[in-house]
Amino acid sequence: KVIFTPDDYWTNPPRKNMNISPHNAGDLRRAGVLIKHRIAGDTDGINTILTEALEAARATELVDAVLITLGTVATRLLTPEGLAALDEWVAFYADRNWDHVPDQWHPAARFITAHGLKDYDTMTAILNETSDDVAPTILATIDVYINVMPVLHTHIGNRVLSNGINKLAGIEAEAD
């Protein structure tokens, strides 16, 4: 039996859609905005988002949403080969003996890997070894992605993040 693919399959491959509810839309929106502020180096914006998450008692969900958002954006902006290269770089950064990156990137890269494997025990252990303040590790996860995916600095990368944030804000508003 021969299976024929649609004419535009390779130029417009089907994407896996994630179910987004008004409950998690706020977490994902905050994650997208946090990533944009980190890329821009906007400390006040970063602190505003972290404060908003803490006040909403959604800090843990924000951490998860940051990694989901970065992974989703990566699949939108990179080819399969680019995604494989991203994984390779994260593995290099996770190696504590590789001293070509800031120290905070080692636990951040290990955290990214554990999140991808849904290894919550390892994620907890990594956060526990960092300090009482987990924000530097979480921000370092964004830094790792920014470094291995410089396309985030482009207009296209910004547009992908902005479009997602706008859609999420609309979904979040539906809950109000």
Side-chain angles (χ1 to χ4, degrees):
K1 186 173 182 180
V2 177
I3 298 173
F4 294 97
T5 59
D7 293 338
D8 68 340
Y9 183 84
W10 301 112
T11 55
N12 295 305
R15 299 193 191 282
K16 293 180 184 176
N17 291 328
M18 183 170 118
N19 292 328
I20 300 172
S21 71
H23 301 292
N24 64 4
D27 302 320
L28 294 165
R29 175 195 52 80
R30 280 188 285 276
V33 174
L34 179 64
I35 293 163
K36 285 186 71 161
H37 286 310
R38 187 64 175 183
I39 291 169
D42 179 0
T43 304
D44 290 338
I46 290 168
N47 289 334
T48 299
I49 293 299
L50 294 175
T51 300
E52 181 184 329
L54 288 171
E55 288 174 354
R58 303 289 293 177
T60 302
E61 292 81 2
L62 177 64
V63 171
D64 191 44
V66 164
L67 293 170
I68 289 170
T69 301
L70 288 166
T72 301
V73 170
T75 61
R76 295 276 322 268
L77 295 174
L78 300 176
T79 63
E81 292 83 3
L83 290 169
L86 185 146
D87 289 342
E88 249 183 76
W89 275 111
V90 170
F92 281 130
Y93 293 168
D95 182 354
R96 294 179 205 191
N97 296 319
W98 203 61
D99 59 357
H100 301 288
V101 296
D103 288 341
Q104 197 61 41
W105 288 17
H106 299 297
R110 292 190 345 263
F111 191 83
I112 291 166
T113 301
H115 184 269
L117 297 171
K118 299 192 183 326
D119 183 349
Y120 299 107
D121 291 336
T122 299
M123 290 167 62
T124 300
I126 292 165
L127 291 179
N128 286 338
E129 75 187 33
T130 57
S131 73
D132 290 339
D133 183 7
V134 299
T137 301
I138 302 314
L139 294 175
T141 63
I142 298 170
D143 295 340
V144 167
Y145 269 91
I146 291 170
N147 192 60
V148 299
M149 209 167 64
V151 69
L152 288 171
H153 289 282
T154 68
H155 293 293
I156 293 171
N158 186 44
R159 187 175 64 223
V160 168
L161 282 167
S162 294
N163 288 346
I165 291 165
N166 291 337
K167 287 178 187 176
L168 292 163
I171 295 169
E172 187 180 15
E174 292 173 6
D176 293 338

